[in-house]
Amino acid sequence: MDAEIRIERVLPATIGRVYDAWTRAELLARWYCPNPKLDLKVQADVRVGGEYVVEMGPHVVRGSYLEVQPPSRLVFSWKWDGTEDEPTRVEVELTEVADGTRMVLSHTGFADAEDAANHQLGWDPELTRLADLLDSVTAPQPDPAADRG
């Protein structure tokens, strides 16, 4: 049986904003790497059969979109450049909840538990960066007019 990662988080944003953070390259480039010190470049053609490339400094992952159902579901393949590993599969399910959006990320198809554990170590800080980005984007902004007493 394949090793699997399943991460569930409630994010402080509307389902549309969370979906945008997963599908707009300019937003992905702000969170889609566990190490904020690495230079991050993202290209994403978000449609069924469309491809994406994420460059995290020297590390490159790429794949294609298998399912695109805005704003609730995204499924894509995941393969690191320079490895002989078979592509794995990432599924992102989004549902509206009272305090934001529940995101369930499943990453499946790993060769072994060690590979899954290594990817878990990447996803955890990456998803924290996503939550921080959404929190900063959705936080009420101070009114500059209020400062001009």
Side-chain angles (χ1 to χ4, degrees):
M1 187 171 120
D2 291 333
E4 175 178 335
I5 296 170
R6 182 180 164 89
I7 301 171
E8 186 172 326
R9 298 227 175 142
V10 174
L11 298 166
T14 63
I15 192 169
R17 282 178 123 21
V18 176
Y19 187 82
D20 283 352
W22 275 98
T23 56
R24 290 178 40 202
E26 70 274 14
L27 293 175
L28 284 163
R30 293 174 61 187
W31 69 270
Y32 207 67
C33 176
N35 182 347
K37 294 179 181 150
L38 291 177
D39 189 28
L40 180 59
K41 294 182 185 141
V42 179
Q43 298 169 36
D45 180 8
V46 184
R47 60 184 173 82
V48 173
E51 297 187 350
Y52 73 89
V53 179
V54 179
E55 297 176 51
M56 303 175 218
H59 313 288
V60 179
V61 68
R62 65 182 70 232
S64 58
Y65 292 97
L66 307 171
E67 294 179 42
V68 177
Q69 298 173 14
S72 58
R73 184 170 165 82
L74 198 60
V75 181
F76 50 94
S77 62
W78 176 281
K79 177 156 181 17
W80 291 102
D81 279 7
T83 70
E84 297 301 314
D85 298 342
E86 289 296 313
T88 54
R89 177 182 171 102
V90 178
E91 295 183 31
V92 180
E93 294 273 354
L94 304 174
T95 50
E96 291 180 356
V97 294
D99 43 357
T101 300
R102 174 178 292 114
M103 178 193 69
V104 178
L105 179 144
S106 301
H107 195 160
T108 59
F110 296 105
D112 55 42
E114 181 183 1
D115 196 20
N118 287 338
H119 281 79
Q120 177 92 41
L121 290 173
W123 279 118
D124 284 337
E126 201 166 301
L127 295 175
T128 297
R129 290 183 74 194
L130 170 60
D132 291 347
L133 170 67
L134 290 167
D135 199 34
S136 72
V137 169
T138 56
Q141 300 300 314
D143 181 359
D147 294 337
R148 287 192 227 127

